[in-house]
Amino acid sequence: MSGTPVLEIRNLTKAFSMPGGRDFYAVRDVSFSVPQGASLGLVGESGCGKSTIARMITKLTEATGGSILLDGDDITHIPEKEHKKRVFSKVQMVFQDPYGVFSPRMPVGTFLEEGLVFHGVMSRKEASAEAKRLLELVELPSSLLDRMPHQLSGGQQQRVVIARAISIKPRLLILDEATSALDVSVQEGVLKLLMRLQKELQLTYLFIGHDLAVVRSIADRIAVMYAGNLVEEMDSEDLTDTAVHPYTLRLLESVFSIGDKGKKHIELENFSLSDKEDNTGCPFAHRCREAGASCSKEQPGSRLLEKNHVVKCFHVHGAM
Amino acid sequence: MEILKVENYSVTYDGEHNAADHVSFSLQEGEIACIVGESGSGKSTVLHGILGLPSPGAVTKGRILLYGKDIASMSRTELLKMRGEQVAMIFQDTGRYMNPISRVGHQFDSFLRYHLDCGKEEMHRIEEDYLQRVHLPDTRRVLHSYPFELSGGMRQRVGIAMAMSLKPKLLLGDEPTSALDVTVQAQVVRQMLDLRKKYGTTLLIVTHNMSVAAYMSDYIGVMQQGKLVEWGRTEEVIGSPRTDYTKKLLHSVIGLGDIRIKETAAI
C-alpha cells in the first residue's frame, strides 16, 4: 500500500462570498490522503462540508484553494474537456438515493451498459454480456436485466448502482451516505458486499456518512469534520478508545446503542447559531465545554498525537 | 388511566393487502412506547389511524379508542378539535409540512388561533414559552424566520414545540428524529423524555432506529408486513425477543465497534 496515494487532498478550501464581504467556508484547509486499497470514512453532521469535498473531487464544484491529486495527477484546475479522461474515468460516486440515479424508463441491463460504452471500455455488444457478470458480482440474479428500476427494491437498486460504478474499474469510489436510506437488514447486506468487493477488486473508498457506527464498521481510517474543518483523523479501530477532540467525543456520546437504556445521560446543549458568525477561532468553540479564551480568537493548527492520529484542538496534550 | 387502545385494527389501501393487520395494543397515561419495523411495515398507518386520517372504508376491522372514545364515531369537527388538543403529531421532517412562504410565527399563530380563544399577546407568550422549552435560542428571531432560514434540527424543534403547545396528553411521533443529525437527535430524544417527566405526557413513537427505541421506551412493538409481531416491555423485547424477525432486526443493527462487516472480507 505504499507509493502514490490514489487520492490526496492538500489544504483544500471552498469559500463562498457572502453579502457584506465576509467569506463562508464550506470546506477549509482540509488535507488527507487515501492509499490504494484503503478506505477513509468521512463523518460529520449535515453542512459540515463532507459532500462538498466529494463534489470537488468529482468536479461538480470548483475548489477555491488547495489541491486535489488523483494518482499524483493534480486535477484541481483542469479544463472541462479533460474531465472525462482525468476524472470521470477514475472516480465514481454512489449517492444516498439510488432511485434518483436511474433513468426511470431505462431497463437495468441498459443502465449497466451505459457507463462501459460511454467510457469506451467496450462495445455495446460486449457490454451487454458484461452487464450479466456485473449483476452476479453484486449478488443479484441476471433475471433483473430486463426489469425497470421501479420494480427493484431499494437494496437491489443500490446494488445495481454500485455495479455500474465499479464496472469501469475506477481508481476511487466515493460512497456518499450510500447505505443511509436503506432498512437496517438491507444496509448490513450492502455493507458486506462493499467490503467483499473492496477486498476482491482492491478498490479504494471514500466513505461519507453521518452514522459513526456504520462508517467505522467499514473504514480503515476516520476523518471527523465540523463546520468545514477536519478536526480529527485516526485509525478507525482507535475511534472509541483514543478520540480526543471535544466534537468527536460529543458525536460518540450521541450514538445510541441497544443496551443503553437507563445508562446514558444526554446533556442539553444551549448554543445559538448566530454565536458563530466570524471565521476567527476554533469552529467548535461556541459549543465546546472545554473552550477557553484563546479558542475563539485563534484557529487551532493540526497536531500529530501518536501514530497516525491528527487533531486540531488547543486543549489536547495539555497545551494552552 | 388508559389513554389509547388499539383493537384488532386493520387497514387496507388497495382492497387486497392489509397495511395494518389486526393490530392490538394499549397505552396507559405517562407510558412511552416505540413501534419499530422496516419501511412499508405499517408503522405509520397505525399512527395515521390514531389521528383519524384513513379514508372511510379503508379501515376493514377493529377500532381505536382514545380516552375510551371510538375515533370512528367522531364527527369531522370533533376530529379537528381532537387533533392538536388531545393528540398531537411530530412528523419526520416538520419543514415539509410548513408553508414555505409564511413565517414560522404566522404558522404558529394560525395553529393556536384554531384551537384557543385568546389574544395576540397571549399567543405570542405561549409561542415563545414553548420554543424556549425545546431550547431554541433567540425565539423572536425564530418566529420571524421563514422555514428555510432555520436548520433542519431547528425546524424539527419548532414542530415539537407546536405539538406540545396545547399540552396534549398523547404525543405521536412519526420518525421524529430520523432526519436529524446525531447530536440533535440525542437532544430531541432527551426533550421527549423530559415531556413525560414534567407533564406526564404519553408518547407513541414510530421509528426504524432500534437503538433510539431501546433507549427511550417502556414498551417496544415490532411490525412486519402490517402485523404487530411482537409487543412487550423494552427489556424483554431487547433481551429475549420472541420472534425470529425481531432477532434479525436486532442483529442487523450495527453498533460502535462492530467488526462483523470487516470480518466478511477476511473470510
Side-chain angles (χ1 to χ4, degrees):
Chain A
M1 278 202 214
S2 59
T4 318
V6 170
L7 172 69
E8 188 173 0
I9 277 173
R10 293 183 192 148
N11 310 104
L12 192 65
T13 299
K14 175 74 190 180
F16 294 96
S17 334
M18 300 277 282
R22 191 170 69 85
D23 278 339
F24 172 79
Y25 289 93
V27 173
R28 190 174 198 183
D29 199 19
V30 170
S31 305
F32 61 77
S33 64
V34 195
Q36 160 84 49
S39 56
L40 176 82
L42 207 51
V43 295
E45 302 184 282
S46 41
C48 74
K50 42 193 203 307
S51 293
T52 306
I53 290 183
R55 292 174 59 85
M56 286 192 275
I57 299 169
T58 48
K59 306 305 289 176
L60 291 170
T61 188
E62 191 82 352
T64 53
S67 49
I68 303 165
L69 285 79
L70 280 177
D71 283 324
D73 177 23
D74 188 336
I75 57 143
T76 328
H77 304 288
I78 56 171
E80 211 178 314
K81 62 176 195 293
E82 291 179 26
H83 283 177
K84 184 175 166 187
K85 188 164 160 253
R86 288 168 72 180
V87 184
F88 302 159
S89 65
K90 289 184 179 169
V91 183
Q92 287 290 305
M93 193 153 165
V94 175
F95 297 92
Q96 177 167 2
D97 170 25
Y99 193 67
V101 177
F102 288 92
S103 173
R105 300 185 59 174
M106 184 187 281
V108 167
T110 319
F111 174 81
L112 285 169
E113 293 160 19
E114 289 291 294
L116 291 161
V117 175
F118 175 77
H119 285 285
V121 181
M122 53 184 71
S123 68
R124 178 70 70 177
K125 211 172 174 185
E126 291 165 312
S128 83
E130 177 71 3
K132 195 170 162 228
R133 197 190 67 84
L134 284 167
L135 274 188
E136 280 162 20
L137 195 61
V138 293
E139 299 155 7
L140 291 177
S142 51
S143 58
L144 295 188
L145 282 174
D146 303 321
R147 298 277 178 85
M148 288 298 175
H150 71 264
Q151 294 174 302
L152 272 54
S153 70
Q156 289 175 326
Q157 286 172 359
Q158 197 61 302
R159 282 168 189 262
V160 173
V161 171
I162 292 168
R164 169 151 134 165
I166 61 173
S167 68
I168 62 159
K169 304 195 169 57
R171 297 288 296 148
L172 175 70
L173 188 61
I174 301 178
L175 299 141
D176 192 353
E177 300 278 10
T179 64
S180 312
L182 305 174
D183 280 327
V184 279
S185 58
V186 179
Q187 163 171 278
E188 189 190 1
V190 172
L191 285 170
K192 283 182 171 166
L193 170 75
L194 286 169
M195 208 65 219
R196 205 200 82 220
L197 291 173
Q198 180 179 38
K199 179 94 173 163
E200 283 176 15
L201 310 170
Q202 275 296 298
L203 296 169
T204 307
Y205 289 163
L206 179 61
F207 192 95
I208 298 173
H210 70 281
D211 186 325
L212 237 56
V214 168
V215 175
R216 189 186 184 212
S217 77
I218 193 162
D220 306 317
R221 289 193 49 85
I222 290 208
V224 181
M225 288 190 66
Y226 183 78
N229 294 257
L230 201 164
V231 296
E232 188 163 15
E233 189 192 342
M234 74 209 100
D235 287 340
S236 84
E237 9 184 284
D238 296 340
L239 177 70
T240 38
D241 299 331
T242 60
V244 282
H245 194 283
Y247 177 62
T248 313
L249 296 176
R250 185 77 55 87
L251 278 181
L252 286 167
E253 280 169 27
S254 304
V255 175
F256 289 97
S257 59
I258 281 175
D260 271 345
K261 188 164 168 65
K263 289 181 199 152
K264 186 190 195 78
H265 175 71
I266 306 161
E267 256 181 67
L268 280 176
E269 275 192 77
N270 277 310
F271 67 91
S272 164
L273 290 176
S274 53
D275 290 350
K276 192 63 205 156
E277 271 182 350
D278 52 24
N279 291 319
T280 52
C282 171
F284 191 59
H286 66 303
R287 282 177 71 181
C288 186
R289 292 174 202 139
E290 314 279 331
S294 57
C295 293
S296 49
K297 293 194 187 99
E298 243 183 290
Q299 282 253 357
S302 293
R303 69 181 81 203
L304 182 69
L305 300 179
E306 294 165 55
K307 53 154 188 121
N308 304 329
H309 187 170
V310 184
V311 66
K312 277 188 186 176
C313 178
F314 289 123
H315 289 276
V316 170
H317 243 35
M320 308 293 283
Chain B
M1 181 192 164
E2 192 172 76
I3 296 273
L4 175 72
K5 191 174 180 70
V6 177
E7 271 179 350
N8 273 321
Y9 189 64
S10 302
V11 174
T12 179
Y13 294 124
D14 59 1
E16 282 175 51
H17 308 92
N18 280 332
D21 197 352
H22 295 86
V23 174
S24 301
F25 64 93
S26 64
L27 278 179
Q28 300 291 319
E29 184 163 6
E31 286 179 337
I32 299 180
C34 288
I35 297 182
V36 297
E38 306 200 313
S39 31
S41 61
K43 315 185 289 286
S44 301
T45 299
V46 173
L47 282 196
H48 292 171
I50 298 168
L51 285 172
L53 293 175
S55 47
V59 182
T60 52
K61 227 183 192 160
R63 54 183 191 159
I64 294 178
L65 303 173
L66 200 64
Y67 309 99
K69 193 169 161 72
D70 190 345
I71 285 176
S73 72
M74 291 186 191
S75 70
R76 192 179 137 75
T77 332
E78 275 179 301
L79 275 175
L80 288 175
K81 277 282 167 199
M82 175 271 279
R83 297 178 193 143
E85 290 171 36
Q86 294 171 28
V87 189
M89 173 103 143
I90 307 166
F91 293 93
Q92 175 164 5
D93 182 1
T94 302
R96 277 206 218 170
Y97 297 87
M98 286 182 159
N99 181 346
I101 53 165
S102 161
R103 292 183 202 274
V104 169
H106 185 78
Q107 300 186 51
F108 212 148
D109 283 351
S110 30
F111 173 66
L112 291 179
R113 200 177 299 126
Y114 187 84
H115 293 282
L116 298 178
D117 182 26
C118 66
K120 248 196 173 136
E121 265 168 40
E122 173 69 3
M123 276 195 319
H124 289 170
R125 196 194 57 72
I126 297 175
E127 286 164 12
E128 293 202 9
D129 179 24
Y130 278 90
L131 290 179
Q132 269 163 15
R133 290 189 202 204
V134 292
H135 297 268
L136 275 166
D138 204 352
T139 49
R140 261 171 212 279
R141 188 175 68 95
V142 170
L143 287 169
H144 206 66
S145 303
Y146 288 99
F148 72 88
E149 293 176 295
L150 305 177
S151 73
M154 290 170 90
R155 280 199 298 258
Q156 196 63 358
R157 283 189 270 179
V158 169
I160 295 172
M162 282 170 92
M164 282 161 51
S165 62
L166 296 171
K167 300 194 195 73
K169 279 264 175 266
L170 176 63
L171 196 57
L172 309 176
D174 194 354
E175 302 272 7
T177 66
S178 303
L180 301 176
D181 281 323
V182 280
T183 57
V184 186
Q185 168 170 279
Q187 297 281 301
V188 171
V189 166
R190 159 79 199 265
Q191 267 148 19
M192 290 193 291
L193 289 172
D194 281 359
L195 279 181
R196 187 238 317 246
K197 213 192 223 164
K198 287 185 190 154
Y199 313 107
T201 312
T202 312
L203 291 155
L204 178 62
I205 307 292
V206 154
T207 175
H208 70 278
N209 189 325
M210 290 293 272
S211 311
V212 167
Y215 177 73
M216 69 182 294
S217 66
D218 306 316
Y219 291 90
I220 285 189
V222 180
M223 285 194 74
Q224 182 193 19
Q225 289 171 8
K227 290 194 173 72
L228 188 67
V229 293
E230 183 136 3
W231 176 270
R233 293 217 50 105
T234 301
E235 306 82 64
E236 283 162 22
V237 173
I238 300 289
S240 45
R242 286 194 311 266
T243 65
D244 287 343
Y245 183 69
T246 311
K247 282 180 200 154
K248 183 181 150 212
L249 270 188
L250 284 167
H251 184 74
S252 303
V253 178
I254 290 169
L256 267 175
D258 219 309
I259 52 165
R260 78 187 108 145
I261 303 292
K262 282 179 184 157
E263 277 174 343
T264 43
I267 299 163

